[in-house]
Amino acid sequence: MAGADGDDSLYPIAVLIDELRNEDVQLRLNSIKKLSTIALALGVERTRTELLPFLTDTIYDEDEVLLALAEQLGNFTMLVGGPEYVHCLLPPLESLATVEETVVRDKAVESLRKISQEHSPVDLEVHFEPLVKRLASGDWFTSRTSACGLFSVCYPRVSSTVKAEIRQHFRTLCSDDTPMVRRAAASKLGEFAKVLELDYVKSDIISLFTALASDEQDSVRLLAVEACVSIATLLPQEDLETLVMPTLRQAAEDKSWRVRYMVADKFSELQKAVGPEITKNDLVPAFQNLLKDCEAEVRAAAANKVKEFCENLPEDSREQIIMTHILPCVKELVSDTNQHVKSALASVIMGLSTILGKDNTIEHLLPLFLAQLKDEVNQTHTCNMPRGAPQHHSNLDCVNEVIGIRQLSQSLLPAIVELAEDAKWRVRLAIIEYMPLLAGQLGVEFFDEKLNTLCMAWLIDHVYAIREAATCNLMKLVEKFGAEWAQNTIVPKVLGMANDPNYLHRMTTLFCINALSEACGQDITTKQMLPVVLKMSTDQVANVRFNVAKSLQKIGPVIDSSALQTEVKPVLEKLATDTDMDVKYFAQEAISALTEWASAVEMKAQVCFGPQGPCRAGKGLQLTPALTPTTAGERSAVK
């Protein structure tokens, strides 16, 4: 029995080994994902002595299997016996940290960083730090790149002797012959600097930073810019000018646009790190140059930072710097030849209004905003007026607070009217999508006075996409201003289009009714909209008639139950016998859908009130069998 028990206890590891050797990758992957379950079955001792050596010896598989293994091992501490035995996880992770596939190495390094925190200081020196040295001295660049991510996690908790060795290894990797290793070192330079003593930051890190920022590979130099932010926050203010700024000035004027792009992208963080004085003396001219850069990507990155940069300027000289140095560059970018630059600028330009105040906003910013609205290229229109973008809502809020709604509307209105009649339909579409936002800013009275007519005119545009968008726009306006406003202002004009000689406009009436019925409510829909829809059921154009059937199906659940039985039912029955096949089909569809809806309502009422209550309450909602398709052919058409 003892032997049998021993055989049974070996079963989980046998299954694992068998599955790991299976030709099916998915089966091997599933097996790796079950490692924690198998480790629990084996117990901590056998996991350490059998499972981990097996995994270490057999690390040669598809990348997705190795990736899953690297992730699993990061959560294995308790499964090997806790922090006391966590060093047992190092051999398989060390092997994974040297493989060729980057994502596997990165995941292995992530797991190593995670379990390093669970090592005691003694175990860190005995087990973890030698692993880092082996990786840093490896023959293949893959192991050396992985080592770069491990220095910072072990440095704070080791002895001064070991710290010196770690610093030396990092220096060696920063000057490695392989660009990929130098790139990895540059990406971890700022992180490593944060755990070093200040003296070593000045003596070691600054020289490494300078060397990496002058590397022959631009992919290394641009990562040094990122490290600059971390290094600048660590140094006293008096050391920044001599130790950091020469290198930063050099990066801002680098021959590679990718390096200059990184400087522009990190500019706000650099600005906060170096402080107000250096910002005034050095960063303002550098930012001007980035806004005027010969590469559009750099100008776009800098344009994105305009608002943030201006907000972080010293208060005592902020307005003067913006008006003298920044605004002239911004004015040039408004007419930039590259659309990405103008798009980036459009998202931040009006945010400057709160900084510059009312007079400067009216004189300088509003003309720029209006110039972008009138830009001939569609992309800029859609950038200024994106679908529901909250940041543009906040931009208008800012301007509204600074200059007042009257001034805002007087400035915007001529441009909006001009664009609403633009020959390019995409421009008109962008303006329509902008309308609910503008309505919220202007208020109902001003909107009725100035823009209501414009919104109604879009309903009879010759482009279908405009008519469709105008219909959705009306629905959003009703949701914003309420059913009473719709009843007095919108509904009469919409219903008046039912008599238009153009059948497309008559169909737009139906589309509007579909969109507005729910927002307007039962009373308005039943008393005002329904009679118009029923009247249009005799229209000479078949497209109008079958859209009547679709509209009745749409508004059926909204209208009064008695009207559904006495008015809608006869019309749908008549349309179901129409000579046009499409009209007949959609009428039968409406009959089927409304019958199903009525049955669902009645069933719900029975559940809520019992068998007697819903008969009285749901009597008017019930559609008789006469409303259902009568022949097999008709039933088939409905299906």
Side-chain angles (χ1 to χ4, degrees):
M1 288 297 293
D5 288 345
D7 290 341
D8 288 344
S9 65
L10 285 172
Y11 185 69
I13 191 74
V15 170
L16 172 67
I17 293 170
D18 189 47
E19 288 189 351
L20 279 175
R21 290 171 177 165
N22 196 290
E23 291 183 3
D24 187 350
V25 175
Q26 191 60 46
L27 194 60
R28 298 200 302 275
L29 184 60
N30 291 341
S31 176
I32 289 293
K33 289 181 178 178
K34 294 174 187 173
L35 273 182
S36 58
T37 305
I38 294 166
L40 281 171
L42 288 173
V44 293
E45 187 173 344
R46 293 185 65 192
T47 297
R48 294 196 301 268
T49 58
E50 297 178 35
L51 180 58
L52 291 180
F54 168 75
L55 292 172
T56 307
D57 293 340
T58 56
I59 290 177
Y60 181 74
D61 207 328
E62 299 290 335
D63 293 332
E64 55 185 327
V65 177
L66 298 182
L67 180 63
L69 177 58
E71 185 175 10
Q72 288 281 320
L73 291 175
N75 302 312
F76 245 56
T77 301
M78 299 314 296
L79 297 173
V80 296
E84 184 181 351
Y85 297 99
V86 72
H87 59 85
C88 296
L89 296 172
L90 297 181
L93 284 171
E94 181 178 356
S95 297
L96 289 167
T98 63
V99 300
E100 191 173 346
E101 179 54 48
T102 306
V103 290
V104 177
R105 292 202 310 272
D106 289 347
K107 184 58 72 173
V109 169
E110 184 183 322
S111 291
L112 283 167
R113 288 167 66 94
K114 186 176 181 180
I115 66 173
S116 71
Q117 305 305 318
E118 293 161 347
H119 282 70
S120 66
V122 174
D123 284 342
L124 205 64
E125 288 199 20
V126 174
H127 300 289
F128 196 88
E129 196 268 341
L131 173 147
V132 177
K133 287 182 182 176
R134 287 194 298 273
L135 290 174
S137 307
D139 293 334
W140 291 94
F141 79 91
T142 52
S143 67
R144 302 200 297 275
T145 56
S146 294
C148 294
L150 299 174
F151 291 115
S152 61
V153 293
C154 61
Y155 185 89
R157 300 170 58 209
V158 294
S159 64
S160 56
T161 306
V162 177
K163 283 182 177 180
E165 293 176 6
I166 290 175
R167 291 196 302 273
Q168 180 56 47
H169 277 295
F170 192 80
R171 276 197 296 271
T172 303
L173 293 180
C174 284
S175 57
D176 195 276
D177 291 337
T178 309
M180 284 80 82
V181 178
R182 298 200 302 276
R183 195 156 58 230
S187 69
K188 298 298 179 183
L189 182 64
E191 180 185 289
F192 189 50
K194 289 178 181 177
V195 300
L196 258 63
E197 298 81 359
L198 183 58
D199 289 342
Y200 292 121
V201 172
K202 293 181 182 180
S203 62
D204 289 18
I205 295 296
I206 293 299
S207 60
L208 296 176
F209 167 61
T210 305
L212 290 169
S214 305
D215 195 274
E216 62 182 19
Q217 297 281 332
D218 63 354
S219 60
V220 177
R221 299 200 300 274
L222 65 88
L223 289 170
V225 173
E226 203 166 341
C228 181
V229 177
S230 301
I231 295 169
T233 57
L234 299 171
L235 293 173
Q237 193 69 30
E238 59 269 18
D239 292 329
L240 287 174
E241 181 59 46
T242 55
L243 299 180
V244 173
M245 288 313 298
T247 307
L248 183 55
R249 290 189 199 102
Q250 174 188 318
E253 299 173 355
D254 196 277
K255 61 184 179 181
S256 169
W257 72 267
R258 295 171 66 197
V259 178
R260 301 196 304 275
Y261 174 89
M262 183 61 78
V263 174
D265 190 54
K266 299 290 178 184
F267 213 86
S268 299
E269 297 169 50
L270 290 166
Q271 181 186 9
K272 292 173 184 175
V274 301
E277 284 305 311
I278 292 179
T279 294
K280 280 196 291 187
N281 299 331
D282 283 283
L283 294 195
V284 170
F287 193 61
Q288 283 181 282
N289 291 335
L290 292 171
L291 289 171
K292 297 176 181 178
D293 197 273
C294 59
E295 292 291 340
E297 287 84 354
V298 179
R299 297 198 302 276
N304 260 321
K305 301 293 178 182
V306 165
K307 180 185 174 185
E308 205 173 339
F309 177 76
C310 293
E311 285 175 340
N312 294 330
L313 287 170
E315 282 191 32
D316 58 342
S317 55
R318 180 186 295 163
E319 187 175 329
Q320 183 265 328
I321 291 173
I322 295 172
M323 297 302 296
T324 309
H325 301 288
I326 305 301
L327 200 58
C329 299
V330 169
K331 289 180 178 179
E332 289 181 23
L333 293 181
V334 168
S335 54
D336 196 278
T337 54
N338 186 279
Q339 291 309 309
H340 296 292
V341 176
K342 289 190 279 191
S343 297
L345 192 64
S347 65
V348 298
I349 190 171
M350 296 311 286
L352 296 177
S353 59
T354 52
I355 302 172
L356 294 179
K358 181 176 180 178
D359 292 340
N360 284 328
T361 297
I362 294 172
E363 184 179 350
H364 298 287
L365 292 184
L366 268 182
L368 299 181
F369 184 60
L370 296 176
Q372 289 192 310
L373 280 178
K374 294 176 181 178
D375 192 283
E376 290 182 1
V377 184
N378 294 327
Q379 176 121 8
T380 306
H381 292 302
T382 54
C383 177
N384 271 309
M385 299 157 294
R387 297 183 177 112
Q391 77 179 52
H392 291 272
H393 196 304
S394 63
N395 281 344
L396 272 184
D397 281 340
C398 290
V399 181
N400 192 2
E401 287 176 20
V402 173
I403 68 173
I405 189 60
R406 185 59 57 177
Q407 180 67 49
L408 175 63
S409 59
Q410 286 175 0
S411 302
L412 281 178
L413 193 60
I416 295 230
V417 172
E418 182 181 335
L419 292 169
E421 298 167 353
D422 195 281
K424 301 183 185 72
W425 69 269
R426 292 185 187 277
V427 176
R428 303 198 299 277
L429 184 63
I431 287 289
I432 294 172
E433 291 168 349
Y434 187 53
M435 209 44 66
L437 169 60
L438 195 61
Q441 294 290 327
L442 296 176
V444 64
E445 290 183 10
F446 189 88
F447 185 84
D448 282 346
E449 180 187 344
K450 303 290 185 181
L451 296 175
N452 194 307
T453 306
L454 203 57
C455 289
M456 298 307 299
W458 282 321
L459 291 172
I460 55 174
D461 194 279
H462 65 277
V463 177
Y464 173 75
I466 300 297
R467 300 196 300 272
E468 183 184 35
T471 302
C472 295
N473 174 54
L474 286 186
M475 181 178 67
K476 292 174 183 176
L477 291 174
V478 172
E479 289 171 355
K480 193 175 288 287
F481 292 148
E484 186 178 345
W485 171 81
Q487 183 176 13
N488 297 328
T489 311
I490 296 295
V491 173
K493 294 178 181 177
V494 168
L495 299 183
M497 291 166 54
N499 300 316
D500 195 290
N502 188 327
Y503 85 96
L504 294 173
H505 300 167
R506 300 200 297 276
M507 284 171 58
T508 301
T509 298
L510 295 171
F511 299 151
C512 288
I513 289 172
N514 295 346
L516 298 177
S517 59
E518 194 169 338
C520 289
Q522 185 183 83
D523 192 54
I524 296 174
T525 303
T526 304
K527 294 180 179 178
Q528 295 186 40
M529 297 182 183
L530 181 60
V532 174
V533 178
L534 297 175
K535 182 181 177 183
M536 294 175 72
S537 67
T538 59
D539 197 283
Q540 292 182 347
V541 179
N543 287 37
V544 177
R545 296 200 302 277
F546 77 63
N547 273 290
V548 166
K550 292 168 76 172
S551 291
L552 290 174
Q553 178 180 339
K554 173 73 176 175
I555 69 174
V558 179
I559 62 178
D560 181 73
S561 56
S562 61
L564 186 65
Q565 187 71 26
T566 60
E567 298 180 53
V568 173
K569 170 187 168 183
V571 169
L572 284 175
E573 286 177 334
K574 182 179 178 182
L575 290 174
T577 61
D578 197 277
T579 54
D580 186 274
M581 291 302 295
D582 290 328
V583 177
K584 186 175 181 179
Y585 170 76
F586 283 110
Q588 291 170 343
E589 282 276 290
I591 290 169
S592 179
L594 289 175
T595 303
E596 187 178 336
W597 171 79
S599 300
V601 170
E602 185 172 352
M603 187 178 296
K604 185 177 180 180
Q606 286 176 345
V607 171
C608 296
F609 305 113
Q612 294 181 344
C615 291
R616 291 191 296 270
K619 185 177 181 181
L621 290 174
Q622 187 163 3
L623 296 177
T624 63
L627 259 176
T628 58
T630 55
T631 68
E634 287 171 337
R635 286 193 294 274
S636 175
V638 171
K639 291 177 184 177

